[in-house]
Amino acid sequence: MATNGYEAGLKLLEELTTDAQQIQDQLLGEILSQNAGTVYLNRFLHGQTDKQLFKKNVPIVAYEDLRPYIDRIANGEASLDILLAETVAGSGTSGGQPKLIPFTAENTNKTAMFNNLYRSVMIKNFGDINQVGKRMELMFVKPEVETPSGLKASAVSTRAFKGSGFRAILPKLYTSPFEAIICLDAKQSMYCQLLCGLIQRDEVVMIGSLFASGVLRGFKFLENNWQELCSNIKTGQISGWITDSGCKNAASVILKPDPELADLIENICSYKSWEGIIRKLWPRTKYIGTICTGAMIQYTEELEFYCGGIPLVSGFYACSEGAVGVNLEPLSKPSDVSYTFLPNSVYYEFVPVKEECVTNSQNLVESVETKSSDGDTEPVDLVNVKPGQCYELLVTSSTGLYRYRVGDILRVTGFHNNTPQFRFVGRENVALGVDMEKTSEVDLLKAMTEAKTLVDPLGFILTGFTSYGDTSSTPGHYVIFWELKAKEGNNGKELDPKHHRSRSVIWSRADSIENIFRRKSWDGKIRKLWPRTKYIGRQNVALGIDMERRSGADLLKAVTEAKTLVDPLGLILTECTFISRPLCHILGA
């Protein structure tokens, strides 16, 4: 899209959001007309396409309800006779096991339109970065799976990265070589992408990755490997452990001896503090593009530490079932981001949740106030949602998903024209549980966000956490691990051991979780939180083990081996937990 053409995209956005109801009704009519005769829909509609009959007869379903039909497609039955899916694409989900999601050629067309609308908003706010430089986006693929019928199943992002259209524009618009992106060895891929990004530092105008955790993983990797990267740049020779031929050859094309550049990067990375390092290494960067809402908001504080004032832009809302929402105010703070849903993507319905969404002064959503009455829990259309209310998202698409529960909980923050805007609250059923209670992702995230204020005066920032429900004793309890990083000016100060298990420091901010226990009156069934604070710096308080794509047996083996590492330190590994992060920190008491 040319810079002077973005206005057409903005105009289309206005038209779509103004005529939302008409567009939604038309879209549903088209979907039903095309698919009413399929095996699945014919059970409920008997060939009819009436909207009210659809809502009355077609059930609300989860993935497991559709799985038998999807498995039939994967096993080779004619997809048009089942769910209208030409092929089946794989998709990783944040709420459970990877799922096979139907994929048709129409997905590609709708994704292209969505990208044009999204780009129009970005050009309006940042100009057309395609005309002035390159993106240093950290991109990774997942292995493809072949179904019994020979269909290729892949993650949505993997399908996009391997597409011929993307590969054609890659050398001009991105710093990462195609061969490095498709390398299945995550460490080699990351190393080569960062190496190419450093070599082309003067061209970089945008940095990003799909999720905020991915961006942060990249800079933590750089923090641990910058000396080796500088050595490669200085000598023009890539490290010997890079054995993937695609990565090695692609990086070697642009890797030439450049002692001056290596010395410049080395001087920057040698600073005691890495606060603002992104602006120093890539001075032309206009913004960091990554999803940093919902569960990803926990990573924003540390990203801001590295950014040095460069905006964090969470530009769109998408799920495995489709790209559906655009952030019309990309310069908003992550905690203030709302997404305007596009009515021409999928047909939406929204199921009111049983708890009200209450927003505090930091715009953090707290699902804490139960409704006084049951109210109407029937699904409502896109234009009929109410501001302030939380809903579970249902989608009906042209790819064989009908009244499908995505699993996302959203809060209505307002309207743009006649189309609602939503704030992502969290995933349904992502919770801790010890007895009969359910502690949601939102409650845990809010407690940790409040807890950050406790370590700030001590010269640290809370960069990550994990938790689990321990039922090895009675009553059960939650264990929460903190990962802390020293701020600039800390001068090597370590966290006072008295804070490691201090009830006054940690439990005072755990009320957000313990209120749940008091509210539900489960006295005696859940013990108080067991907070465990570990300072993750340059000390041997955590062991980083690469558990990428490992089995359960591998995890047990790793823990056993880890015990031998801590023994010489005078420690014993009494318990462990695994954090779903680039390096799984095994934390022992």
Side-chain angles (χ1 to χ4, degrees), residues 6 15 42 64 76 267 343 365-366 389 434 466 485 526 576:
Y6 81 93
E15 293 172 354
N42 194 54
E64 289 304 314
N267 288 336
V365 179
E366 313 168 40
Q389 173 69 50
V434 171
T466 189
K485 185 180 183 69
I526 304 174
C576 68

Side-chain angles (χ1 to χ4, degrees), residues 400-419:
L401 302 178
Y402 309 104
R403 310 198 82 189
Y404 177 83
R405 301 178 65 177
V406 173
D408 291 351
I409 304 299
L410 309 167
R411 175 180 176 269
V412 185
T413 58
F415 280 77
H416 180 78
N417 295 325
N418 296 317
T419 301

Side-chain angles (χ1 to χ4, degrees), residues 156-169:
V156 175
S157 56
T158 298
R159 179 178 292 271
F161 295 152
K162 288 190 173 182
S164 58
F166 179 78
R167 187 170 183 176
I169 65 173

Side-chain angles (χ1 to χ4, degrees), residues 440-479:
S440 72
E441 182 180 26
V442 172
D443 292 310
L444 181 61
L445 184 58
K446 176 183 178 292
M448 295 302 98
T449 301
E450 292 183 356
K452 290 179 181 180
T453 61
L454 298 172
V455 296
D456 183 76
L458 303 175
F460 297 89
I461 59 175
L462 179 61
T463 62
F465 67 88
T466 189
S467 58
Y468 71 98
D470 187 347
T471 56
S472 60
S473 60
T474 302
H477 58 275
Y478 292 159
V479 178

